[in-house]
Amino acid sequence: MTVAIQDDIGARNSMVRGGGVPEWDARARVEWLRNQIDRHDRLYHVMDSPEITDAEFDALLRELRALESDRPDLITANSPTQRVGGAPAEGFTEVAHLRPMLSLGNAFDDAELMAWHRRTASLLETDEFDMVCELKYDGLAVALMYENGEFTRGATRGNGAVGEDVTSNLRTVKSIPLRLTGSQVPELLEVRGEVYFPKSKFHEFNAKRVAEGLPAYVNPRNTAAGSLRQLDPRLTAQRPLDIFVYSIGVHSEGRHTMGAADAPSTQWEALDLLRQLGFKTSPNNMRFSTIHEVIDWYRHWREAVRELDYDCDGLVVKVDRLDYQQHLGDVGREPRWAIAYKFPAEQATTWLNDVRFNVGRTGSINPYAVLEPVYVGGATVRQATLHNEDYIRSRNLRIGDKVVVERAGEVIPQVVRALPSERGCSDTYITMPRVCPSCDEPVTRIADEAMSYCRNASCPAQLVRLIEHFVSKGAMDIEGLGIKQGRALIEAGHLRDAGDLYSLTERRDALIDMDRMAEKSVDNLLSAIEQSKSRPLSRILVALGINFVGSEVADLLARNFGSMDALQEAEEESLVSINGIGPKIAKSVVEYFGRPSNREVLDKLRAAGVNMTEETAPGAEGTPLEGLRFVVTGRLPNYSRSAIQGRIKELGGAVSVSVSSKTNYMVAGEGGGSKLADAEKHEVTILSEDEFEQLVLDLFRRNLHIELPLSPENS
């Protein structure tokens, strides 16, 4: 076989150089070479069972390059020769995911995992359900889109709803198939996976950098993430990234490939289909029937995790049946049907040199430890949270103690415990401040709460933190106003709350007279403030700093209420009816809008012309429903009404509560009532839930400018 391949390649190369390959033969040969190279790539990078030598593989690749050089018209984006990376990009465009890429809730001990299992069993009304266990890879989550088996687009997770288009970089990852294999290739397939940097390759990569006089990278996870965000794909191609694919996001069966009966009905079947299509899945995936088997599997990997050639920080447990997953749904940004059981965090010991306190934007008094610097969890830690007074007391911590430090969730450093045996006679008890360290007003502790608070509404530290949060990139994104400038403006009396930012234009001359506020920097700041007025409602809700309202909850609120006025008048009952909004969030939102001081800030924002409604930017990529108006009515089989409404808005559509001449579609379930008659009166197209999903897929294809054969069986 080997000799035949070499002889065949040699003869073909001679013909190419002599210009003797007919057009039909060149096209057929190119296709044969691509199939062979894809096959051997998969055998080597995915199956770990190569059939030919590296030299023979290189010979195949050289012949393909020679043919494509002779016939550039035969080059395609998914040719194996294109894995080297194209020209540098100017930046990354945003991509809206067809289905949100949710994050996972965490369990840190057996009791928390058992509690998740009990909640799940209660919601399913049965404790007999299988669970799939997958190792939790520590890399960068991505979504890969395939059209008729061809890789067309890849994106990072981003905020879960919108990510960055990194297609060119993902093409360089050799374990990502550019074309799918097998007899069951769907028309449209989006899969999710985790790109990682193998530890062995990472150490080799760092050794080479050091030998070249370059600084070593800190850890594989950050290096993998940074590699995928290189603007020059040729740099990404130099880094031996790998991937594990673990789920299907969107799946549409092809007319001539498989029927609906053949589509996966469980996570286990989905993993098997992914393997058949040529994706690399983890060999350590397992399926269990009882939670005790899951715990045993967790304990095995807790001890064996260091044997893996990639970073892993826990076990992901998923309900196996996909219809059960649909029934369970999600809350906030987390699915109810899955949980991450985390391994114990990496720990180190160091000295607790001091305890200091800062004031949060809600007035909370937050103690933190000043540590002798120590390397833990891939970073040098100098400070660590102490959470609150109860936390300090329960661990009997004292200044001067030798303490154990870990990075909670491998992000936030915290002091776990003291080592009393190392304690000397100079150790000092830690006492909470009786007055605010910023304004000297008395500190109070509310019953049944662990935190102490400064209740002075004019506390400068609270306002500094709130302004810092308000202008941050994820909120109003006002450049030129850092924490130092914010503090200076507050001390000068120009800012009493966030609403005063929009009256700074009237104080331009006074700002220029301030230290380190040159005329150009002041004008740039005022311009940035003016531009921020057009931010969407969801960003303003984030900026306000409402407890428990992050970007994803803000998106839910903005999509479901549409305006600040409507949200201000909302009651807890209407808030908790939204899929993803729980009682704690609802109470916090209602309390925020009930405070007169907060309403005063909102009045200032309105008067300044700050946008108070949620609109979808026309023509945005990944918004196939842009320009269409929907009404949703009745009981849907798989989704709540609010979930469908939220999805419509995510994809650029508008949702109305009543039918009018402007309505394009109605999504109707059982018990649609009088709205169905209104739809017929206005000649509005009525869709079932399945027909709505088909419409989204069809319009999404059209948005990508890809013509695909349609099938009534598509879902």
Side-chain angles (χ1 to χ4, degrees), residues 469 476 536-546 549-550 553-555 557-558 564 567 593:
H469 172 76
M476 298 303 277
L537 175 61
S538 56
R539 296 276 288 277
I540 299 170
L541 292 174
V542 171
L544 292 175
I546 305 170
V549 177
V553 171
D555 286 340
L557 295 173
M564 188 71 78
L567 181 57
F593 288 115

Side-chain angles (χ1 to χ4, degrees), residues 658-675:
S658 58
V659 179
S660 71
S661 58
K662 295 181 179 180
T663 305
N664 301 102
Y665 294 98
M666 170 181 280
V667 182
E670 293 182 11
S674 61
K675 290 184 180 179

Side-chain angles (χ1 to χ4, degrees), residues 11 37-38 69 89 102 138 167 172 210 221 232 264 286 306 357 438 451-452 459 466 511 593-594 607 642 681 700 708:
I37 292 168
D38 284 344
S69 177
L102 302 176
D138 193 12
T167 307
T172 71
V210 171
R221 195 270 172 200
D232 188 346
M286 292 291 286
R306 296 186 185 277
F357 304 88
S438 173
M451 298 301 298
S452 298
C459 175
L466 180 58
L511 298 183
F593 288 115
S642 61
K681 174 184 174 183
F700 181 77
L708 297 176

Side-chain angles (χ1 to χ4, degrees), residues 30 34 67-69 71-79 81-82:
V30 162
R34 287 175 182 163
L67 279 167
E68 290 181 345
S69 177
R71 290 289 306 278
D73 59 302
L74 297 181
I75 299 175
T76 64
N78 285 338
S79 171
T81 61
Q82 303 306 299

